Amino acid sequence: MVVVHGGHAWRSSVLLLILVFSCTTTTVVDAEHAHAPLHLARRLAATSGEEHQHSIKVLDPRLRGEEDLLKTHLTDSWTAVADLVVPHGYPLEEHFVTTTDGYIMRVFRIPHGVQSGGDDTHSSSSSGSGSGSGSDSGSGSGSGSGSSSDDRGDAARPVVVLQHALLDSCAGFLVLGPGKALALLLADEGYDVWLANSRGNVHSRNHTTLSVDSDAFWAFSFDDMAALDLPAMLDYALGVSGAAQASLVGFSQGSILVLAALASGSVHASKVSSAVVMAPAAFLQHVSSTPLRTLAAFNTDSVFTLLGVREFLPSSTIIQMLEGAVCFIRPKMCLNVLAAIAGFNEDTIDPEKLPIFLRYTPAGTSVQNMAHWAQCVRQKHPHTLAYFDYGTSCNSIFARKGVPACNKDRYGADAPPTYDFSAITTPLLVMSGSNDQLADPRDVESLLAVLGSAAAVVSFTQVPSFQHLDFVWADNADTKAYTRVIDFLAPAPM
């Protein structure tokens, strides 16, 4: 038994975490079908004035004849994203990408914007389907409406992959709506926009062999997302679009995935024309988020003991009672908790959009991933981002089945390796907020110092008064941040 000290301060912080991380309803494929790859093709008519048509086709022969059951489990996830895109006249495709370690991730594509949909080769009135695979990262399939995935006209459009934050999903790049959301602005600028969903969030909870109810399914951190998820999604997007390169844009944890993938070589620099990292929380020596610092006060084994080894936070009767209610009945309470964790400027938030934000946030991750972030806060060596630390005891009573027991089992050494950001050669734009309590300006300066020794050309923009969530929630994010992103990326043909 582990005795945890900390009294009321710890219990209060856990209560805050429970409140914020229970304010969403998740859709999970049931355990019976969690073993089978759900390579589904969907059609949704997005033409203005037409009735939306939604059908489902199962490509996996083991699941044929069970479309109705799959609709019950999966329509909510599709509809949740479609609600942010389709009513505004944008096309939307849904694709499923399988990583080399078997995780199946739901990826969304907006192949073009509203205005560009009727232009010459970029328009198609018929539905199309396509598939692609990277050379060694993974495979997948999918389809949608609007421009056909097989329409080689779309190959002329530059590809951009958007990678979401911790406890978020692709919705973070959509919730501000047309004329303001980054994904939609990029589509209108002529980009072929791909929206990633990392393993374990509400859109990517399936595996070729593991049940979502197993400990092994949840044994991952952002190391795995950078090494396996992002490369697989990038290769898939390039395969479907026919493009040779793509731009990467990450926010918060998404920025870390971009930097880690480029630094480690899991994403080859030849495939990335440029990258944007917004609010990059690479170093956390000065993080002032009280809940995150409280979580970091406990060692990794204690975190697993307190929170379980699967989803953060694990389901319980109390959480199920709170789920879906607190954030709608007491939105101010949830906003206060989110402000404590990440921070945002209340003055820049459109109050009419708050229900939308709270519908999509948070979107889930694993306890191991949260434990990894806690390790980052505890990191004693400056300018260092280390891989997940499994510890030095290879006979720990906390060993999990199918998971390395210690660093020697995983890395062949007593200490985990670190990411060498100075190895990055891709042109980078680093963006931070002057009031960010997660990606503190002092820590961002440390990151810039490391990147400054790299061969990459690094540009930097600090957004005055911006806090962490302002990069996806602020009503002025389009003018304060996104115009700079669009200017930095290669010009897109219209």
Side-chain angles (χ1 to χ4, degrees), residues 356-368:
I356 299 175
F357 299 160
L358 297 177
R359 176 186 176 189
Y360 292 95
T361 307
T365 192
S366 69
V367 170
Q368 180 168 323

PDB file of all heavy atoms in Angstrom, residues 356-368:
ATOM      1  N   ILE A 356     -19.787  25.161 -26.939  1.00  0.00           N
ATOM      2  CA  ILE A 356     -19.078  24.370 -27.955  1.00  0.00           C
ATOM      3  C   ILE A 356     -17.728  23.926 -27.417  1.00  0.00           C
ATOM      4  O   ILE A 356     -17.348  22.754 -27.534  1.00  0.00           O
ATOM      5  CB  ILE A 356     -18.898  25.196 -29.243  1.00  0.00           C
ATOM      6  CG1 ILE A 356     -20.259  25.586 -29.825  1.00  0.00           C
ATOM      7  CG2 ILE A 356     -18.088  24.413 -30.278  1.00  0.00           C
ATOM      8  CD1 ILE A 356     -20.177  26.498 -31.027  1.00  0.00           C
ATOM      9  N   PHE A 357     -16.993  24.853 -26.809  1.00  0.00           N
ATOM     10  CA  PHE A 357     -15.693  24.490 -26.255  1.00  0.00           C
ATOM     11  C   PHE A 357     -15.828  23.356 -25.243  1.00  0.00           C
ATOM     12  O   PHE A 357     -15.046  22.401 -25.247  1.00  0.00           O
ATOM     13  CB  PHE A 357     -15.046  25.696 -25.564  1.00  0.00           C
ATOM     14  CG  PHE A 357     -14.778  26.870 -26.466  1.00  0.00           C
ATOM     15  CD1 PHE A 357     -14.585  28.132 -25.938  1.00  0.00           C
ATOM     16  CD2 PHE A 357     -14.719  26.731 -27.846  1.00  0.00           C
ATOM     17  CE1 PHE A 357     -14.335  29.222 -26.755  1.00  0.00           C
ATOM     18  CE2 PHE A 357     -14.477  27.806 -28.679  1.00  0.00           C
ATOM     19  CZ  PHE A 357     -14.282  29.064 -28.129  1.00  0.00           C
ATOM     20  N   LEU A 358     -16.834  23.475 -24.391  1.00  0.00           N
ATOM     21  CA  LEU A 358     -16.994  22.503 -23.308  1.00  0.00           C
ATOM     22  C   LEU A 358     -17.559  21.179 -23.798  1.00  0.00           C
ATOM     23  O   LEU A 358     -17.481  20.172 -23.102  1.00  0.00           O
ATOM     24  CB  LEU A 358     -17.881  23.095 -22.214  1.00  0.00           C
ATOM     25  CG  LEU A 358     -17.300  24.336 -21.524  1.00  0.00           C
ATOM     26  CD1 LEU A 358     -18.285  24.896 -20.505  1.00  0.00           C
ATOM     27  CD2 LEU A 358     -15.972  24.014 -20.867  1.00  0.00           C
ATOM     28  N   ARG A 359     -18.138  21.185 -24.983  1.00  0.00           N
ATOM     29  CA  ARG A 359     -18.603  19.923 -25.570  1.00  0.00           C
ATOM     30  C   ARG A 359     -17.422  19.077 -26.032  1.00  0.00           C
ATOM     31  O   ARG A 359     -17.473  17.843 -25.974  1.00  0.00           O
ATOM     32  CB  ARG A 359     -19.527  20.210 -26.759  1.00  0.00           C
ATOM     33  CG  ARG A 359     -19.978  18.953 -27.506  1.00  0.00           C
ATOM     34  CD  ARG A 359     -20.774  19.281 -28.761  1.00  0.00           C
ATOM     35  NE  ARG A 359     -21.111  18.077 -29.505  1.00  0.00           N
ATOM     36  CZ  ARG A 359     -21.644  18.066 -30.719  1.00  0.00           C
ATOM     37  NH1 ARG A 359     -21.921  19.218 -31.336  1.00  0.00           N
ATOM     38  NH2 ARG A 359     -21.917  16.935 -31.333  1.00  0.00           N
ATOM     39  N   TYR A 360     -16.368  19.735 -26.493  1.00  0.00           N
ATOM     40  CA  TYR A 360     -15.267  19.011 -27.119  1.00  0.00           C
ATOM     41  C   TYR A 360     -14.022  18.876 -26.247  1.00  0.00           C
ATOM     42  O   TYR A 360     -13.088  18.174 -26.618  1.00  0.00           O
ATOM     43  CB  TYR A 360     -14.886  19.708 -28.433  1.00  0.00           C
ATOM     44  CG  TYR A 360     -15.959  19.594 -29.496  1.00  0.00           C
ATOM     45  CD1 TYR A 360     -16.901  20.608 -29.666  1.00  0.00           C
ATOM     46  CD2 TYR A 360     -16.054  18.474 -30.312  1.00  0.00           C
ATOM     47  CE1 TYR A 360     -17.889  20.513 -30.629  1.00  0.00           C
ATOM     48  CE2 TYR A 360     -17.039  18.362 -31.280  1.00  0.00           C
ATOM     49  CZ  TYR A 360     -17.955  19.388 -31.431  1.00  0.00           C
ATOM     50  OH  TYR A 360     -18.936  19.275 -32.391  1.00  0.00           O
ATOM     51  N   THR A 361     -13.998  19.558 -25.135  1.00  0.00           N
ATOM     52  CA  THR A 361     -12.815  19.539 -24.269  1.00  0.00           C
ATOM     53  C   THR A 361     -13.207  19.115 -22.860  1.00  0.00           C
ATOM     54  O   THR A 361     -14.157  19.680 -22.315  1.00  0.00           O
ATOM     55  CB  THR A 361     -12.163  20.937 -24.200  1.00  0.00           C
ATOM     56  OG1 THR A 361     -11.921  21.391 -25.529  1.00  0.00           O
ATOM     57  CG2 THR A 361     -10.862  20.884 -23.438  1.00  0.00           C
ATOM     58  N   PRO A 362     -12.489  18.169 -22.241  1.00  0.00           N
ATOM     59  CA  PRO A 362     -11.319  17.439 -22.725  1.00  0.00           C
ATOM     60  C   PRO A 362     -11.704  16.206 -23.534  1.00  0.00           C
ATOM     61  O   PRO A 362     -12.856  15.790 -23.514  1.00  0.00           O
ATOM     62  CB  PRO A 362     -10.618  17.047 -21.438  1.00  0.00           C
ATOM     63  CG  PRO A 362     -11.748  16.863 -20.473  1.00  0.00           C
ATOM     64  CD  PRO A 362     -12.793  17.879 -20.833  1.00  0.00           C
ATOM     65  N   ALA A 363     -10.727  15.626 -24.215  1.00  0.00           N
ATOM     66  CA  ALA A 363     -10.999  14.509 -25.114  1.00  0.00           C
ATOM     67  C   ALA A 363     -10.248  13.240 -24.742  1.00  0.00           C
ATOM     68  O   ALA A 363     -10.303  12.266 -25.475  1.00  0.00           O
ATOM     69  CB  ALA A 363     -10.657  14.900 -26.553  1.00  0.00           C
ATOM     70  N   GLY A 364      -9.529  13.253 -23.602  1.00  0.00           N
ATOM     71  CA  GLY A 364      -8.959  12.020 -23.092  1.00  0.00           C
ATOM     72  C   GLY A 364      -7.517  11.751 -23.483  1.00  0.00           C
ATOM     73  O   GLY A 364      -7.027  12.209 -24.509  1.00  0.00           O
ATOM     74  N   THR A 365      -6.851  10.993 -22.624  1.00  0.00           N
ATOM     75  CA  THR A 365      -5.517  10.455 -22.873  1.00  0.00           C
ATOM     76  C   THR A 365      -5.264   9.371 -21.842  1.00  0.00           C
ATOM     77  O   THR A 365      -6.152   9.032 -21.055  1.00  0.00           O
ATOM     78  CB  THR A 365      -4.442  11.560 -22.804  1.00  0.00           C
ATOM     79  OG1 THR A 365      -3.204  11.039 -23.324  1.00  0.00           O
ATOM     80  CG2 THR A 365      -4.219  12.054 -21.379  1.00  0.00           C
ATOM     81  N   SER A 366      -4.048   8.839 -21.810  1.00  0.00           N
ATOM     82  CA  SER A 366      -3.728   7.785 -20.852  1.00  0.00           C
ATOM     83  C   SER A 366      -3.119   8.369 -19.581  1.00  0.00           C
ATOM     84  O   SER A 366      -2.555   9.468 -19.587  1.00  0.00           O
ATOM     85  CB  SER A 366      -2.732   6.794 -21.466  1.00  0.00           C
ATOM     86  OG  SER A 366      -1.464   7.414 -21.639  1.00  0.00           O
ATOM     87  N   VAL A 367      -3.217   7.616 -18.503  1.00  0.00           N
ATOM     88  CA  VAL A 367      -2.557   8.006 -17.259  1.00  0.00           C
ATOM     89  C   VAL A 367      -1.045   8.035 -17.472  1.00  0.00           C
ATOM     90  O   VAL A 367      -0.353   8.910 -16.944  1.00  0.00           O
ATOM     91  CB  VAL A 367      -2.942   7.042 -16.116  1.00  0.00           C
ATOM     92  CG1 VAL A 367      -2.085   7.296 -14.884  1.00  0.00           C
ATOM     93  CG2 VAL A 367      -4.416   7.188 -15.764  1.00  0.00           C
ATOM     94  N   GLN A 368      -0.518   7.089 -18.260  1.00  0.00           N
ATOM     95  CA  GLN A 368       0.926   7.082 -18.506  1.00  0.00           C
ATOM     96  C   GLN A 368       1.358   8.377 -19.179  1.00  0.00           C
ATOM     97  O   GLN A 368       2.439   8.902 -18.879  1.00  0.00           O
ATOM     98  CB  GLN A 368       1.332   5.879 -19.357  1.00  0.00           C
ATOM     99  CG  GLN A 368       2.834   5.838 -19.644  1.00  0.00           C
ATOM    100  CD  GLN A 368       3.297   4.530 -20.232  1.00  0.00           C
ATOM    101  OE1 GLN A 368       2.803   3.463 -19.865  1.00  0.00           O
ATOM    102  NE2 GLN A 368       4.260   4.582 -21.156  1.00  0.00           N
TER     103      GLN A 368
END
